[in-house]
Amino acid sequence: MRGLIFLLLPLLLLNEVGEGSKALQALAPAAGGRCTSPPPESAAKGAAASRRGPPPAACPAPRTAAPPPSLRRPLPPPAAMLASCGPALCTALRRAAPGGLASFHSSARRHRAARVAVVLSGCGVYDGTEIHEASAILVHLSRGGAEVQMYAPDVPQMHVIDHSKGQPAEAESRNVLVESARIARGKIASLAKLTTADHDAVIFPGGFGAAKNLSTFAVDGKDCKVNTEVERVLKDFHRAGKPIGLCCISPVLAAKVLSGAEVTVGHEEEEGGKWPYAGTAGAIKELGGKHCVKEVTEAHVDTKNKVVTTPAFMCEAELHNIFDGIGAMVKNVLKLTGK
């Protein structure tokens, strides 16, 4: 529709000028009708011509005509130009440019980008944030034009896992905020500073850190507790009607804090090892949430609570399929912001 309007607007302006052009053409003498002085007479005919009387007077110099009224008056204001259009075109113009004709100009105000907070839980799948999921979220947010700020709670990790062995590293302790800064390339803030006033949405990547550092779900299951700052953020965004995105194991946070929230962690049966964490779906129901079965490439949107979830690494799948599912989650979160 905007493309059509851009084509029609110049025609409306040309219509005004066109009326004046017609008037000018009417004033111009016909082609071949120019006034010229009579050709000089020869010496032999001069005497005879003088006996017939004085020579005809030369044509007077042409007068400059005053411009027609349609060119003398200034162009009407935009509102008057719209009023002079037909009803259908006038309605289309107003719908396409509710702010007036000036809104078509390239310098007109543009929509502000969505501001999205990403909450990390450490660095590494077994004791912190799943790095592939965090990276995928950041790529899709960047592609969607969002402004991103990362946060993490300033608390000790539950424990440290040696990822080469999959076993706890004895006598070693790490801080969740410090470890999360590795993913954020140092640009990170304490979760205590995250407010709804500064952001349009919040997203929680998965990884066991969501079940160990952001909550105690990994140990206590349905009887788990959620970090106080994480609980505050979830409730604040829900109360403000701003979207919340979660993937992998992190949907259990929404199920615990937001009673009745609809989430997905994929399928509810292991299906030969394809869904090794399928038992989480049952725990979500025990937490008071509603589980919705989805494929790894899909996202579930709880429109009532503005909660968007996707299975991610809850499924044994190819990385690009997990990437696509996270993309569906991010796309729907951004859509819900209205930006």
Side-chain angles (χ1 to χ4, degrees):
M1 173 61 75
R2 278 184 174 260
L4 175 61
I5 301 303
F6 275 118
L7 292 175
L8 291 176
L9 283 175
L11 295 179
L12 295 175
L13 296 174
L14 288 174
N15 183 57
E16 289 285 327
V17 179
E19 294 299 325
S21 299
K22 292 178 182 178
L24 284 177
Q25 292 174 2
L27 290 174
R34 294 178 299 170
C35 291
T36 58
S37 299
E41 300 290 342
S42 63
K45 297 180 180 179
S50 62
R51 289 195 295 270
R52 290 195 298 268
C59 290
R63 293 179 299 172
T64 301
S70 63
L71 291 184
R72 288 201 300 267
R73 68 173 184 268
L75 284 175
M81 293 179 67
L82 282 176
S84 66
C85 303
L89 180 57
C90 180
T91 300
L93 284 169
R94 291 190 184 280
R95 286 178 178 175
L101 295 179
S103 64
F104 282 104
H105 195 274
S106 61
S107 63
R109 180 173 59 85
R110 297 178 180 178
H111 290 296
R112 178 175 56 80
R115 300 167 301 172
V116 181
V118 176
V119 179
L120 305 178
S121 59
C123 183
V125 57
Y126 297 130
D127 58 11
T129 303
E130 212 300 320
I131 298 173
H132 293 292
E133 292 178 7
S135 179
I137 289 169
L138 296 175
V139 168
H140 286 294
L141 285 173
S142 175
R143 184 168 289 159
E147 297 176 1
V148 179
Q149 172 63 51
M150 283 172 268
Y151 296 87
D154 189 1
V155 297
Q157 290 185 184
M158 173 184 156
H159 59 187
V160 178
I161 297 293
D162 180 340
H163 281 59
S164 68
K165 299 177 181 178
Q167 299 176 355
E170 300 297 337
E172 187 173 348
S173 176
R174 297 187 184 183
N175 179 278
V176 175
L177 178 61
V178 173
E179 291 300 296
S180 297
R182 296 175 180 272
I183 297 175
R185 298 173 62 87
K187 297 179 181 179
I188 196 166
S190 172
L191 187 59
K193 297 181 179 179
L194 173 53
T195 68
T196 57
D198 297 326
H199 300 283
D200 303 302
V202 62
I203 295 179
F204 292 80
F208 279 97
K212 294 179 177 180
N213 304 326
L214 303 187
S215 72
T216 63
F217 180 79
V219 176
D220 301 323
K222 66 181 181 63
D223 298 319
C224 68
K225 295 181 181 179
V226 176
N227 174 277
T228 55
E229 288 299 329
V230 172
E231 182 175 3
R232 175 190 64 80
V233 168
L234 287 169
K235 288 182 176 180
D236 285 353
F237 274 81
H238 181 259
R239 190 180 301 111
K242 295 186 175 183
I244 301 167
L246 311 101
C247 65
C248 194
I249 191 67
S250 67
V252 299
L253 302 174
K256 175 67 176 180
V257 175
L258 308 176
S259 180
E262 297 177 2
V263 300
T264 187
V265 289
H267 286 205
E268 298 180 355
E269 301 292 336
E270 290 192 15
E271 300 177 16
K274 182 179 179 180
W275 297 91
Y277 308 103
T280 306
I284 285 173
K285 296 174 183 178
E286 292 180 325
L287 287 169
K290 179 180 179 181
H291 185 260
C292 303
V293 174
K294 290 289 180 178
E295 299 300 329
V296 69
T297 56
E298 298 177 317
H300 178 73
V301 181
D302 179 351
T303 54
K304 178 182 177 182
N305 294 297
K306 291 190 175 182
V307 174
V308 187
T309 51
T310 190
F313 277 103
M314 298 297 276
C315 179
E316 290 291 335
E318 297 292 336
L319 182 58
H320 67 275
N321 289 324
I322 293 168
F323 184 88
D324 291 345
I326 290 175
M329 182 265 288
V330 170
K331 181 178 180 180
N332 279 287
V333 167
L334 293 179
K335 182 178 180 181
L336 287 174
T337 66
K339 303 298 181 182

